[in-house]
Amino acid sequence: DRALDVREEQRLTWLRENCGDDEPLFSQAAEMLNLAPAAKRFLPAGDGHVETRAVLPDPTPPQETVAAEFAPGTQLGDFLIEEQIGAGGMGVVYRARQLALNRPVALKVLPAYLRNSPSANSRFRREIEAAARLHHTNIVSVYSTGEEAGALFYAMELIDGPPLSRVLQHLRENPIPELASTAHSFAEADLPSVPTPQWAVGLLSGRAPSEASCSDPAARVGDEALGDYFDRVASALADAAEALDYAHQRDVLHRDVKPSNLLLSREGHLHISDFGLARIMHKPALTRTGELLGTPYYMAPEQIAANTSAVDGRADIYGLGATLFELLTLR
């Protein structure tokens, strides 16, 4: 409540000063700030009656949550930064180019305000280790890692497409016939206005893209594929389920499966990203007893209970199931 009284652009700095070295407290408070706009609509004022259909979608923090530290043209190791494409509590993501191989990459950098935190450094390195263990078509690949000028970073495969959270937002605002009856519930939701490529919606819905996008060959992929929206969603989520099974067989738990961490490529494939909360089984947990990690709308009951020892691969399946339900119902 005190942080909400601080100017929005100064809140993270204020939190850092007041949380000190208590990293779990900082992470939890920062997540609560990100959820604050949605929370205002979650429980209505008055007699306390809860309308369950009003539950909002994945509250993905906006890019401005963590300001860009490196301007376009800055070089980190073998990587030349082009632009910031995402941000969260544990990292800033840039589109960059690997100079030695002349290929585009996504470069995730530990933010400056976390670099003096031993727990944040440990968690970031654990994220790199967990993602680097996995080599699967539907999991974002890690290429390399490095550290320069005190900045710890790693390069990964660049998926040229939006997260499912943006596709869901578009479908709520522009529902296809199959989903029109469920979309009205979200007409007044506080959703950020982020453009969603028409080809991305076309890949799932099978509808023809707008004329403006027809010059892009990738935009026509949705026209050529067969099947309706529900078939396409089932097929895409099945690929993600196989990827999670692959990760579990290699002792990696994601622990934050949700629409914003499932990226849709131009070929119509889903790619699991952001292993920031991942845990490697049979290794000591970085999470302390009672520490809550995850995104509330997609967390399994055992995660909400903050019982670290009880959380296994079924929590990831729960998050994927919640995502599937949301894609099928927009609820």
Side-chain angles (χ1 to χ4, degrees), residues 126-182:
R126 180 69 62 89
E127 173 182 352
I128 298 171
E129 180 186 355
R133 282 178 171 228
L134 308 175
H135 304 280
H136 190 280
T137 303
N138 299 99
I139 296 176
V140 176
S141 300
V142 170
Y143 292 150
S144 66
T145 183
E147 187 170 1
E148 184 164 311
L152 182 62
F153 60 86
Y154 71 95
M156 54 188 160
E157 178 184 7
L158 179 65
I159 305 299
D160 193 10
L164 281 186
S165 53
R166 276 174 52 190
V167 178
L168 278 162
Q169 174 190 329
H170 183 99
L171 289 170
R172 289 189 177 94
E173 296 171 350
N174 307 279
I176 58 176
E178 294 93 327
L179 300 174
S181 63
T182 62

Side-chain angles (χ1 to χ4, degrees), residues 246-317:
Y246 169 89
H248 296 162
Q249 291 181 32
R250 284 149 186 81
D251 296 333
V252 175
L253 302 179
H254 189 283
R255 299 200 295 179
D256 198 22
V257 177
K258 58 183 180 179
S260 61
N261 286 338
L262 293 169
L263 307 181
L264 182 66
S265 73
R266 286 177 175 269
E267 292 74 33
H269 302 302
L270 286 182
H271 299 260
I272 300 173
S273 69
D274 197 344
F275 283 76
L277 299 186
R279 177 187 167 198
I280 300 175
M281 291 181 276
H282 314 307
K283 283 200 171 189
L286 297 176
T287 308
R288 300 187 304 187
T289 300
E291 183 181 358
L292 191 66
L293 293 178
T295 302
Y297 298 116
Y298 307 93
M299 291 170 68
E302 61 270 24
Q303 282 182 284
I304 294 173
N307 184 356
T308 304
S309 61
V311 176
D312 57 25
R314 290 170 292 182
D316 287 346
I317 297 171

Side-chain angles (χ1 to χ4, degrees), residues 16 23 26-27 88-91 110-121:
R16 172 53 58 198
E23 201 56 46
F26 173 81
S27 298
M90 286 296 294
L110 186 67
Y113 65 87
L114 292 178
R115 288 177 197 152
N116 292 324
S117 166
S119 62
N121 274 267

Side-chain angles (χ1 to χ4, degrees), residues 37-44 49-57 172 182 184-191 297 330-331:
K40 292 178 182 178
R41 306 183 69 89
F42 187 71
L43 292 176
H49 173 69
V50 178
E51 184 126 16
T52 55
R53 70 172 176 81
V55 174
L56 297 183
R172 289 189 177 94
T182 62
H184 71 278
S185 303
F186 301 91
E188 300 179 358
D190 290 329
L191 295 174
Y297 298 116
L330 298 186
R331 297 171 183 262

